[in-house]
Amino acid sequence: MGYGFSRLETDSRLLDGSSSNDGLRTSPQINRQLHSVDNDIAQLTRLQSPQENFSLTRPGKREYPVSVVTMLAGREANLSKRGRFSPGDCRHVLSKYLPVNGPWVVDQMSTRTYVSQFSADGSLFMAAFQGSQIRIYDVERGWKVRKNILARSFTWTITDAVLSPDKRHLVYGSMSPMAHIVNVGSAAKESIANNTEIHEGLDFTSPEDGGFSFGMFSLKFSADGREIVAGSNDDDIYVYDLEAKKVSLRTTGHRSDVNTVCFADESGHLIYSGSDDRAIKVWDRRCLRPNGRCAGVLMGHLEGITFIDSRGDGRYLISNGKDQATKLWDIRKMSSKPPYYPRQSNSEWDYRWMDYPSQARELKHPYDQSIATYKGHSVLRTLIRCYFSPEYSTGQKYIYTGSHDSCIYIYDLVTGAQVAKLKHHKSTVRDCSWHPSYPMLVSSSWDGDIVKWEARGGGEAPAPANKEILRRRHFY
């Protein structure tokens, strides 16, 4: 598939016209929009990527940033007396180079791609396909397939798969109460369940289930890799202890399918969950009440929630909703029991096969607790995912999401402006992943294509994701 067949649409109001997309312009309109987002998150985002050593001040005028070229010249002249960029200066430069060039094909499969994510350090990439196949790619070795996994006990599709923080294991689940764990670090390239390798079962059932079968929609590792939190279609939230090999926590969290769960931060104390009942709930495991009540609820979506991503600070999160919107939340605004607001769109509407009702697009939740809303993409047919951009390279100043219209959307977190729209795929983009330290984004689609987008024009594999290599390449 030639490079000339893909297209990129960027918001011309935000770019300075350079081919490298390194000049986001701040217009008066965008300055006015800065006040539409909660001041705390706006200030935190700015503080994560300041020009610490390369700002200029004219007499009687405010401080203003200098160009990247001037920053590079200043670094070579050692104007900062540090001999290198500070972390803030590094993020300031890298965040301007959006991964919008390309794409270049990583792999092409004959089945739908449901899940695709980089490992924590970016050295591995995992993709799970409809049916039973999961592939682990070695990013630093030309995207060679390190492990080809043939799953077991799956129903319909692999609904979620996740790499452990240490990259030693992968857990996958489907519409079954049994998840499975695979040793990613083993020598076997072909991992066929209980044939070439053991795929150990993680049983989420309990005696009181009485044989009732349920399925897993969402799986996430804790930061220490010792636990897995899961959301299911029996309205429950589970925490599985990998050392004890049993469920350590189970609570009925919602009134409908729990489509998405995640840990709020590295402590593992807080858990976020999102459901088809339109609620996002916050759970504090240190004081989980005997009746299973959550610590708080966030309301604002008009339809079910498909995905949640935590900023990692135990305070902010984003969510994708079937009301065709991504929302930004601050858990300090949560309520113990928000007012009930009935569903306003056509009660017979089903996002799996129907378009979103046009009359519902202008509806607003009267008790919306979110602090920002991002629109433009479409959330239809499947549980489409959204994320914060990486902290290391962008200061988390963007959010990005797949879309039913076959595109990937990137929004400015603070202004809400759409800064990029990537076009290549022929079908729904369910998942996408931004490399944690390199300006590269990989998208996967129901068309079977896995492709990578980069800030530069070349299509070679990224540099190893470690700081020593980055120093030698003069980012620091």
Side-chain angles (χ1 to χ4, degrees), residues 389-443:
S389 65
E391 179 181 2
Y392 177 81
S393 59
T394 72
Q396 296 178 302
K397 67 185 296 182
Y398 306 110
I399 63 174
Y400 63 103
T401 177
S403 178
H404 171 62
D405 67 1
S406 311
C407 300
I408 303 97
Y409 289 75
I410 303 176
Y411 301 100
D412 186 290
L413 174 71
V414 176
T415 68
Q418 177 188 306
V419 298
K421 179 181 177 182
L422 311 182
K423 290 187 175 183
H424 163 80
H425 294 286
K426 303 295 190 296
S427 188
T428 302
V429 177
R430 190 180 194 269
D431 206 357
C432 46
S433 186
W434 197 313
H435 192 280
S437 58
Y438 190 85
M440 175 174 64
L441 186 149
V442 177
S443 59

Side-chain angles (χ1 to χ4, degrees), residues 26-262:
T26 302
S27 68
Q29 178 185 3
I30 292 176
N31 279 329
R32 290 193 297 270
Q33 288 177 310
L34 291 174
H35 302 289
S36 66
V37 174
D38 181 86
N39 183 65
D40 284 358
I41 185 67
Q43 182 67 8
L44 283 170
T45 303
R46 285 193 289 267
L47 287 175
Q48 280 191 308
S49 55
Q51 286 184 316
E52 297 176 17
N53 301 299
F54 296 95
S55 296
L56 300 179
T57 306
R58 289 178 177 174
K61 295 189 176 182
R62 68 176 179 85
E63 190 177 75
Y64 67 97
V66 301
S67 70
V68 171
V69 174
T70 303
M71 290 178 68
L72 291 169
R75 185 196 61 194
E76 295 303 314
N78 198 22
L79 295 181
S80 67
K81 307 301 181 184
R82 299 177 63 179
R84 58 186 175 88
F85 281 164
S86 69
D89 289 328
C90 182
R91 284 192 292 263
H92 179 81
V93 173
L94 288 176
S95 67
K96 292 178 176 293
Y97 291 85
L98 295 176
V100 296
N101 292 316
W104 293 272
V105 176
V106 171
D107 203 353
Q108 292 177 307
M109 301 291 286
S110 59
T111 59
R112 295 174 173 179
T113 314
Y114 267 73
V115 185
S116 58
Q117 285 294 295
F118 281 106
S119 61
D121 67 353
S123 63
L124 299 179
F125 186 82
M126 175 274 299
F129 305 90
Q130 187 171 28
S132 61
Q133 194 167 15
I134 304 170
R135 284 188 168 181
I136 309 293
Y137 302 88
D138 194 325
V139 178
E140 296 172 1
R141 295 185 178 179
W143 291 87
K144 293 182 179 179
V145 177
R146 172 183 284 196
K147 205 172 193 70
N148 196 42
I149 300 169
L150 192 64
R152 63 164 301 190
S153 299
F154 69 91
T155 303
W156 177 56
T157 187
I158 294 169
T159 53
D160 206 359
V162 59
L163 285 165
S164 62
D166 62 5
K167 304 181 298 182
R168 294 177 60 189
H169 296 94
L170 176 138
V171 171
Y172 64 85
S174 69
M175 298 307 294
S176 162
M178 186 77 72
H180 291 86
I181 187 166
V182 186
N183 184 355
V184 176
S186 68
K189 182 176 179 180
E190 297 294 325
S191 179
I192 303 173
N194 297 345
N195 185 338
T196 61
E197 284 191 320
I198 297 296
H199 292 194
E200 184 180 354
L202 310 178
D203 190 355
F204 283 79
T205 61
S206 60
E208 56 266 26
D209 286 329
F212 172 75
S213 183
F214 55 90
M216 299 294 169
F217 279 129
S218 181
L219 298 165
K220 290 290 183 298
F221 269 101
S222 60
D224 60 12
R226 295 179 178 179
E227 295 181 311
I228 295 170
V229 62
S232 72
N233 67 344
D234 66 351
D235 310 346
D236 285 3
I237 297 161
Y238 299 80
V239 175
Y240 191 95
D241 187 321
L242 289 168
E243 293 183 349
K245 297 185 178 181
K246 66 178 183 179
V247 172
S248 60
L249 171 67
R250 176 182 180 178
T251 182
T252 300
H254 292 269
R255 293 182 287 109
S256 190
D257 294 353
V258 181
N259 295 325
T260 176
V261 289
C262 68

Side-chain angles (χ1 to χ4, degrees), residues 324-373:
Q324 315 305 297
T326 298
K327 285 184 174 290
L328 173 68
W329 310 86
D330 181 344
I331 68 169
R332 294 173 298 178
K333 298 180 181 293
M334 67 185 181
S335 303
S336 58
K337 190 176 181 181
Y340 175 70
Y341 180 64
R343 183 176 170 181
Q344 298 297 300
S345 63
N346 189 330
S347 60
E348 296 182 357
W349 176 71
D350 190 327
Y351 95 119
R352 292 172 297 180
W353 59 277
M354 300 171 69
D355 290 335
Y356 194 61
S358 57
Q359 67 273 16
R361 294 183 180 275
E362 303 305 318
L363 293 176
K364 294 184 179 180
H365 198 297
Y367 311 113
D368 191 352
Q369 296 165 294
S370 67
I371 57 178
T373 301

